[in-house]
Amino acid sequence: MSSTNPKSYPAGPSHRVAFLGLGVMGYPMAGHLALAGHQVTVYNRTPAKSIAWCAEFAGSNGSQRAATPRQAAQGADIVFCCVGNDADLAQVTLGADGALAGMKPGAVLVDHTTASASVARELYGAAKNLGLQFVDAPVSGGQAGAQNGALTVMCGGDPAAFDAMQPVAMAFSKAVTLLGASGAGQLAKMVNQICIAGLVQGLSEAIAFGQQAGLDMNQVLEVIGKGAAQSWQLDNRGKTMVADKFDFGFAVDWMRKDLGLVLDEAKRNGARLPVTALVDQFYADVQHMGGKRWDTSSLIRRLR
Ligand code: NAP
């Protein structure tokens, strides 16, 4: 199970919160909330993960697990959620056992899933009709960012809802920023993924070219990483790409889901994304090569 590395937590009042979805990301995010002094009720579809989470975190401040999202949400000031996609999100939030059915008036539902802007706006409307609040809040920073409590969180919603969740979400983040009305967080995450797609293909071509040319690419990356070619991907994945290692977090399957969201949104808003569409197909090649769970830097495998 994911480890959670304690950090220095922001001072502030302790809240009763819920966390739905204890996956690679959610498990350590919920862990940071407990370590920061909040009383956390967790829900996970597969109980083994919530049992393991409680064994690790429940002792100190009354944190516990619940059998349904609705039960977890009862009495919480803020309900955090991090599941897979739009359909999963609907399952944990809507319906008789969904979180919205259990939340107290005025409480805030915060969704960290990478999902569509349209599902964010639907949930915002559904929450509002019930006297609740909703913030779409997808994250960047990967598994390591979640474990170290250093995620970047991109938010869409009303300022009052944002003001309520921001200080609490800082338990697992280095920056939590409101970028506009409902859906703006998901749209900003799409911008992030467009940047990454093109960049990783460029880095793949550069490293494959350098290796073909017989250069010591670890040395070359050290040098060009101090100049204009520097990037997070080069710093964190360059040498692992040279070593042909692809076990470093964000999986190709997830990236294809995200690029699907991006390309759907571009159809709606008319943006032209020729390179992103091409890289999406390159990731489909990697899936066919058996790389569904390889990390996103495995694009270079197509070039070897
Ligand atoms: P993950 O490890 O696969 O975890 C997914 C979680 O969602 C699990 O707790 C799973 O429960 C739960 N879930 C899925 N479908 C569900 C359903 N229908 N009903 C109830 N629970 C359901 O995924 P992850 O890596 O944590 O990613 C979660 C989200 O964060 C995704 O949207 C992903 O794109 C995004 N994200 C991930 C990363 C990363 O590096 N991993 C980085 C940024 C953003 P079970 O345990 O029962 O399967």
Side-chain angles (χ1 to χ4, degrees):
M1 198 51 67
S2 310
S3 62
T4 302
N5 304 322
K7 64 174 203 177
S8 154
Y9 294 102
S14 169
H15 286 276
R16 201 165 153 186
V17 303
F19 206 106
L20 317 175
L22 302 175
V24 167
M25 301 297 282
Y27 187 101
M29 290 164 78
H32 283 295
L33 288 167
L35 292 173
H38 302 293
Q39 185 185 332
V40 189
T41 303
V42 294
Y43 162 79
N44 196 70
R45 177 179 58 181
T46 308
K49 288 184 196 165
S50 43
I51 292 168
W53 189 94
C54 281
E56 195 171 346
F57 297 105
S60 51
N61 49 6
S63 291
Q64 57 187 331
R65 68 193 174 93
T68 65
R70 178 185 182 147
Q71 284 172 19
Q74 274 160 2
D77 301 323
I78 306 171
V79 177
F80 296 94
C81 167
C82 189
V83 292
N85 58 28
D86 282 22
D88 304 331
L89 184 55
Q91 276 194 346
V92 296
T93 56
L94 303 175
D97 281 335
L100 288 175
M103 289 169 67
K104 66 179 184 185
V108 189
L109 176 60
V110 179
D111 177 40
H112 296 295
T113 309
T114 303
S116 68
S118 48
V119 82
R121 293 185 197 111
E122 279 167 33
L123 286 174
Y124 173 88
K128 204 161 196 172
N129 286 339
L130 294 165
L132 305 169
Q133 310 184 77
F134 177 79
V135 177
D136 50 293
V139 303
S140 171
Q143 183 175 356
Q147 291 175 339
N148 295 326
L151 294 170
T152 299
V153 188
M154 296 155 264
C155 301
D158 293 338
F162 173 78
D163 289 346
M165 57 73 71
Q166 193 268 356
V168 182
M170 284 304 291
F172 49 75
S173 314
K174 65 178 177 196
V176 182
T177 309
L178 183 64
L179 294 161
S182 181
Q186 294 297 352
L187 293 172
K189 173 75 184 184
M190 292 177 203
V191 172
N192 186 75
Q193 300 306 69
I194 294 167
C195 290
I196 290 174
L199 202 146
V200 175
Q201 177 61 17
L203 190 56
S204 297
E205 292 182 18
I207 291 172
F209 170 90
Q211 288 184 311
Q212 195 75 19
L215 291 170
D216 176 345
M217 277 310 293
N218 284 328
Q219 190 186 17
V220 173
L221 290 174
E222 288 281 345
V223 172
I224 68 170
K226 294 185 175 67
Q230 188 272 342
S231 67
W232 186 98
Q233 297 289 340
L234 188 155
D235 286 350
N236 291 279
R237 292 288 172 275
K239 287 184 180 168
T240 53
M241 290 164 80
V242 171
D244 205 42
K245 293 204 164 77
F246 305 109
D247 188 22
F248 298 94
F250 196 63
V252 167
D253 274 354
W254 279 139
M255 188 60 163
R256 285 221 74 209
K257 179 215 23 144
D258 291 4
L259 294 179
L261 294 169
V262 166
L263 296 170
D264 283 350
E265 190 64 39
K267 268 189 212 137
R268 270 189 288 277
N269 72 17
R272 297 175 61 231
L273 301 175
V275 172
T276 306
L278 191 61
V279 174
D280 177 54
Q281 289 305 302
F282 292 166
Y283 276 121
D285 293 346
V286 176
Q287 287 176 316
H288 288 129
M289 293 165 69
K292 293 177 173 200
R293 303 301 298 175
W294 296 347
D295 76 62
T296 46
S297 70
S298 58
L299 269 185
I300 194 171
R301 266 287 172 92
R302 294 179 59 262
L303 306 173
R304 292 200 158 128

